Amino acid sequence: MFVLQKMATSPSSLCSFSLFLSKPSSLPLLKPPLLSLHFPLKRFIISTASELQHDTQARRRTLLGSPYTKTSPLISLSTAAVATESATVSHNDTVENEETEKLVLPTNDSSEKLLRIRHTCAHVMAMAVQKLYPKAKVTIGPWIENGFYYDFDMDPLTDKDLKRIKKEMDRIIGRNLPLVREDVSRDEAQRRIMAVNEPYKMEILESIKEDPITIYHIGDEWWDLCAGPHVESTGNINRKAVELESVAGAYWRGDEKKPMLQRIYGTAWENEDQLKAYVHFKEEAKHRDHRRLGQDLDLFSIQDEAGGGLVFWHPKGAVIRHIIEDSWKKTHIEHGYDLLYTPHVAKADLWKISGHLDFYRENMFDQMKIEDEQYQLRPMNCPYHILLYKRKLNSYRDFPIRVAELGTVYRYELSGSLHGLFRVRGFTQDDAHIFCLEDQIKDEIRGVLDLTEEILLQFGFSRYEVNLSTRPEKSVGDDDIWEKATSALRNALDDKGWSFQIDEGGGAFYGPKIDLKIEDALGRKWQCSTIQVDFNLPQRFDVTYVDSNTEKKRPIMIHRAVLGSLERFFGVLIEHYAGDFPLWLSPVQVRILPVTDTQLEYCKEVISKLKGSGIRAEVCHGERLPKLIRNAEKQKIPLMAVVGPKEAETQTVTIRSRFSGEIGTIEIDDFISRIKSAIERRTSL
């Protein structure tokens, strides 16, 4: 849930609820191990409900706004965003001196009142639409994570239409009309639907299996098929806590062959302050949108000439990818994995054996014919790793066998579903597979959990939501192995000390799994890491090993990914840092700024020394110094080294840090030493 924090200067002060526009430079820096101490330029504080009960140090870290202090259409907004009143923090201020009032924003899960408000708002909106546009046909209108929506078969709507609809909603709310439930027979429901000529409702009625049929009325003016729940009357809704956000096209039943409907999205809260906090959250999320930042910072692009969903990594983005890959490879080698490279295509028969052609065909690209044989772009890496396992006969003494690959896969996605780096057609998975014995499952899972934590901490993610998904109704494998595998996953999580939730029946048909969502600087949760035990593919590919009695047995296979995909993880990183990467991760760490072109020769010497020490640096000139500094700020360069006549004469540079302000004039060797130390410790300079 969100938290709106009012920074009060007096009991009667009014809060403007604006974001903190600069970093509190005097606040103490806290050092979680392995983590960058980078502060975002905008102070947008994140907190969970459980965090409100943490110890004083944890609360102080939260107030400092660091994204590294947390523990346990794509995004889960289940944590707290804090908007602070506009103010500056003096050098003598401390967090403890601030008077704070916290307002916890509920979720649908935590507040049935909020859920009822949102559901009723969907009905009120539908009633308002049909009052204003009598020819509009209604379909469905559920509550969703941050509000509600309703789909209508009608002419396209504009922003001006949304304002009219909201005014009509306000009138309905102000009339305090009762919400009345009525149970009717199926025949009666059918008669009423036919009387008002609502064809979509008739289709919905046909899909309802239970009797009697439930109808909810708003006063005696409007009704809908609905199971509830709702508020008692429209007057229970605070009209100032409701907004209509947008309108979009949506196919009926999600089928592109069916009519395109008008979907109106709205948000609703219990009171005005909650809505203000949510609006601030949305503004900050918009500020961090990786698609805009990717273009502004020249990190990546999707080229129309090449096709949708295909990512072009620009030089600066490629630098960050290189850092991610190098770190990933180093960590995996240290944890006993062998690294692989496998082809991007294979014979279609391979995907028949794996079952992908039977169960996953709609997500695969069309096959290509090569010399009378059908080939397929790979949607997964798993079959390749199995083929490498089977290249020789393995003994029980060889286990565990761990292999990993940064493997690019291709999946067919409709153009309308593509979304920046989050939904693409070609992406690189950080894929790994472990082949082991039954009694090794727990230790291997624990090892994966340790590796996952180590990698995610390197990039500033230390809060996770963990779910253990158990056997679904339809599955492969016998009861004994399911029980052993599920217990091993549960015991590994217990041994790790991570809290987790059980998703009963949510496992894959081929085995139980652990899913881990990381929490970013805004408290949004992103599915990245997964660990899955597989009883299916070893059987399909007849994967075996020789046991101590020289008999062939079937090993356990574990799928796992830490980052998910490099593209999606990079998108999350961009939004987590708002493009303002910490020094060690920034594609350009230092920009040299000569006061005039007469210092260019010395600047070249400085660049040569920096690059010779492994520091990513560039020189920028041709403009007046103030503009050069502004441009470096816009490009979010961590360090600027200003070079004028005095610096050239004394072989020094004057340093300005995005994170610490003016540092002063220092010698080149000292500058290099301090940068290397900060990079090694993953701190700012």
Side-chain angles (χ1 to χ4, degrees):
M1 52 183 66
F2 304 95
V3 175
L4 174 66
Q5 180 170 313
K6 300 179 182 177
M7 309 297 290
T9 55
S10 68
S12 60
S13 64
L14 296 176
C15 298
S16 65
F17 302 105
S18 62
L19 295 175
F20 216 69
L21 296 179
S22 61
K23 176 183 73 67
S25 58
S26 65
L27 296 179
L29 297 179
L30 300 170
K31 298 185 178 181
L34 298 177
L35 304 183
S36 165
L37 299 179
H38 163 67
F39 283 84
L41 288 184
K42 288 192 175 182
R43 188 171 179 233
F44 203 87
I45 308 168
I46 310 303
S47 177
T48 61
S50 60
E51 197 172 60
L52 302 181
Q53 300 175 1
H54 280 187
D55 59 23
T56 303
Q57 184 180 24
R59 288 197 297 272
R60 285 188 65 208
R61 291 199 298 264
T62 301
L63 287 170
L64 283 171
S66 168
Y68 317 115
T69 59
K70 310 172 194 69
T71 57
S72 168
L74 297 170
I75 302 170
S76 172
L77 306 178
S78 60
T79 53
V82 178
T84 65
E85 179 189 6
S86 286
T88 55
V89 179
S90 72
H91 289 286
N92 295 322
D93 286 339
T94 63
V95 171
E96 286 79 7
N97 290 336
E98 295 172 343
E99 294 182 34
T100 65
E101 178 185 346
K102 291 187 176 180
L103 176 65
V104 177
L105 279 173
T107 66
N108 294 332
D109 291 332
S110 68
S111 171
E112 185 178 347
K113 175 184 177 182
L114 180 62
L115 185 149
R116 288 173 179 268
I117 287 172
R118 288 172 171 172
H119 195 185
T120 304
C121 280
H123 282 222
V124 169
M125 181 174 69
M127 178 177 172
V129 167
Q130 290 199 307
K131 276 183 172 291
L132 296 172
Y133 309 93
K135 293 182 179 180
K137 302 298 181 185
V138 292
T139 61
I140 58 172
W143 70 84
I144 54 177
E145 191 164 20
N146 298 301
F148 57 93
Y149 73 80
Y150 212 110
D151 288 347
F152 305 91
D153 190 350
M154 62 186 300
D155 292 335
L157 295 165
T158 65
D159 289 342
K160 185 177 180 181
D161 294 319
L162 292 187
K163 292 178 181 178
R164 286 187 65 203
I165 295 167
K166 177 58 167 64
K167 285 183 179 179
E168 183 61 32
M169 288 178 66
D170 289 346
R171 282 192 284 268
I172 295 170
I173 291 170
R175 292 171 62 194
N176 196 24
L177 299 173
L179 274 289
V180 180
R181 171 175 169 150
E182 180 187 12
D183 292 342
V184 300
S185 69
R186 186 173 296 271
D187 289 342
E188 175 61 17
Q190 186 174 14
R191 185 190 67 77
R192 294 188 189 184
I193 293 171
M194 291 177 67
V196 294
N197 189 24
E198 291 284 4
Y200 297 98
K201 289 300 178 185
M202 189 64 73
E203 188 174 332
I204 293 171
L205 177 63
E206 291 170 357
S207 68
I208 298 174
K209 304 303 180 184
E210 299 82 12
D211 286 310
I213 304 301
T214 306
I215 289 175
Y216 268 87
H217 298 263
I218 299 180
D220 57 1
E221 302 177 30
W222 191 88
W223 60 269
D224 197 0
L225 296 176
C226 184
H230 289 281
V231 297
E232 292 183 0
S233 71
T234 60
N236 294 136
I237 300 170
N238 184 338
R239 74 185 84 179
K240 293 184 179 180
V242 179
E243 277 191 4
L244 298 187
E245 299 182 289
S246 62
V247 61
Y251 290 110
W252 172 236
R253 299 295 197 187
D255 187 342
E256 60 183 340
K257 296 179 182 179
K258 293 184 176 181
M260 173 68 77
L261 308 174
Q262 295 292 296
R263 174 172 294 178
I264 303 176
Y265 287 98
T267 188
W269 300 89
E270 294 172 347
N271 56 57
E272 221 175 330
D273 284 346
Q274 292 177 1
L275 177 60
K276 288 179 180 178
Y278 172 70
V279 169
H280 276 298
F281 181 92
K282 285 207 312 176
E283 290 172 352
E284 182 65 10
K286 183 178 179 180
H287 166 72
R288 293 169 179 261
D289 191 314
H290 74 281
R291 294 166 297 178
R292 181 184 63 82
L293 289 170
Q295 180 177 348
D296 292 348
L297 302 179
D298 197 20
L299 299 173
F300 74 92
S301 63
I302 310 292
Q303 299 291 330
D304 291 338
E305 294 86 349
L310 303 173
V311 181
F312 285 72
W313 295 74
H314 299 187
K316 290 180 180 179
V319 167
I320 298 177
R321 174 169 175 159
H322 179 70
I323 294 169
I324 295 171
E325 289 185 353
D326 276 2
S327 175
W328 185 92
K329 291 174 182 178
K330 179 177 181 292
T331 305
H332 278 75
I333 291 171
E334 290 173 351
H335 281 255
Y337 285 79
D338 292 319
L339 303 186
L340 305 177
Y341 293 96
T342 57
H344 291 214
V345 297
K347 292 180 180 179
D349 289 344
L350 184 67
W351 309 106
K352 290 179 182 176
I353 297 172
S354 68
H356 287 94
L357 281 178
D358 292 330
F359 303 107
Y360 205 73
R361 184 186 293 269
E362 69 275 11
N363 298 107
M364 299 168 68
F365 282 99
D366 290 341
Q367 296 175 10
M368 61 190 85
K369 190 173 184 179
I370 302 176
E371 296 180 349
D372 297 326
E373 289 188 293
Q374 295 296 118
Y375 280 75
Q376 181 80 55
L377 281 171
R378 65 176 175 186
M380 306 277 189
N381 300 305
C382 324
Y384 293 86
H385 294 185
I386 291 175
L387 292 182
L388 283 174
Y389 172 90
K390 291 184 65 177
R391 75 189 187 278
K392 63 179 182 179
L393 186 63
N394 290 287
S395 163
Y396 70 97
R397 296 187 182 90
D398 299 322
F399 291 135
I401 296 173
R402 308 182 190 105
V403 294
E405 176 182 14
L406 292 170
T408 301
V409 298
Y410 305 89
R411 299 182 187 173
Y412 174 69
E413 300 282 356
L414 293 172
S415 58
S417 67
L418 300 175
H419 182 84
L421 296 175
F422 294 154
R423 197 73 175 265
V424 295
R425 288 172 171 160
F427 54 93
T428 301
Q429 288 183 314
D430 69 316
D431 220 350
H433 294 92
I434 300 170
F435 300 91
C436 65
L437 305 175
E438 288 183 16
D439 60 4
Q440 294 174 328
I441 297 176
K442 180 205 166 185
D443 289 341
E444 288 305 303
I445 297 297
R446 172 58 198 271
V448 173
L449 296 177
D450 290 341
L451 178 144
T452 298
E453 182 179 40
E454 181 177 342
I455 291 176
L456 293 178
L457 279 174
Q458 291 174 12
F459 296 98
F461 298 105
S462 60
R463 294 197 68 158
Y464 322 117
E465 176 184 292
V466 183
N467 292 286
L468 171 60
S469 301
T470 61
R471 187 176 190 173
E473 187 175 340
K474 294 182 179 180
S475 61
V476 298
D478 57 42
D479 295 343
D480 182 58
I481 189 60
W482 268 93
E483 177 57 34
K484 286 182 179 178
T486 304
S487 295
L489 267 61
R490 182 184 290 108
N491 292 339
L493 286 169
D494 288 337
D495 194 46
K496 180 67 177 171
W498 282 357
S499 60
F500 59 93
Q501 295 178 331
I502 301 290
D503 179 11
E504 294 290 352
F509 76 93
Y510 50 77
K513 63 176 181 173
I514 294 171
D515 288 322
L516 186 147
K517 296 178 182 178
I518 60 176
E519 188 174 302
D520 72 4
L522 291 188
R524 300 173 298 181
K525 294 180 181 176
W526 305 83
Q527 174 68 56
C528 286
S529 309
T530 187
I531 308 167
Q532 303 177 1
V533 180
D534 189 345
F535 313 133
N536 179 50
L537 286 184
Q539 182 176 340
R540 280 181 170 270
F541 282 93
D542 192 25
V543 177
T544 61
Y545 70 94
V546 176
D547 70 4
S548 58
N549 297 319
T550 68
E551 295 180 0
K552 285 190 175 182
K553 295 290 180 64
R554 191 93 60 211
I556 298 296
M557 181 178 182
I558 300 171
H559 306 261
R560 49 116 296 216
V562 176
L563 306 179
S565 82
L566 295 185
E567 287 76 8
R568 190 166 187 270
F569 185 72
F570 185 42
V572 173
L573 269 182
I574 293 171
E575 299 204 0
H576 178 60
Y577 289 114
D580 204 2
F581 299 107
L583 178 63
W584 71 272
L585 191 58
S586 181
V588 177
Q589 295 168 317
V590 181
R591 180 174 284 183
I592 310 298
L593 307 178
V595 175
T596 68
D597 284 355
T598 57
Q599 288 88 46
L600 271 178
E601 198 60 37
Y602 175 60
C603 289
K604 292 178 182 178
E605 294 178 22
V606 175
I607 285 287
S608 179
K609 287 185 177 181
L610 290 170
K611 289 185 174 181
S613 298
I615 297 166
R616 298 184 291 277
E618 64 183 19
V619 62
C620 192
H621 63 99
E623 302 280 359
R624 293 174 62 85
L625 183 61
K627 186 171 183 179
L628 293 177
I629 292 174
R630 283 197 303 272
N631 290 342
E633 288 284 353
K634 287 180 180 179
Q635 288 296 303
K636 305 182 187 295
I637 308 297
L639 295 170
M640 288 165 273
V642 177
V643 173
K646 182 179 179 181
E647 285 82 6
E649 181 183 347
T650 58
Q651 299 286 290
T652 59
V653 287
T654 297
I655 306 304
R656 177 186 178 90
S657 168
R658 272 184 64 78
F659 312 136
S660 306
E662 300 292 344
I663 291 178
T665 302
I666 58 178
E667 295 181 352
I668 298 299
D669 290 342
D670 185 25
F671 182 40
I672 290 173
S673 176
R674 291 173 68 174
I675 293 175
K676 291 175 71 174
S677 176
I679 291 171
E680 183 179 350
R681 292 181 291 112
R682 298 195 172 179
T683 64
S684 61
L685 190 62

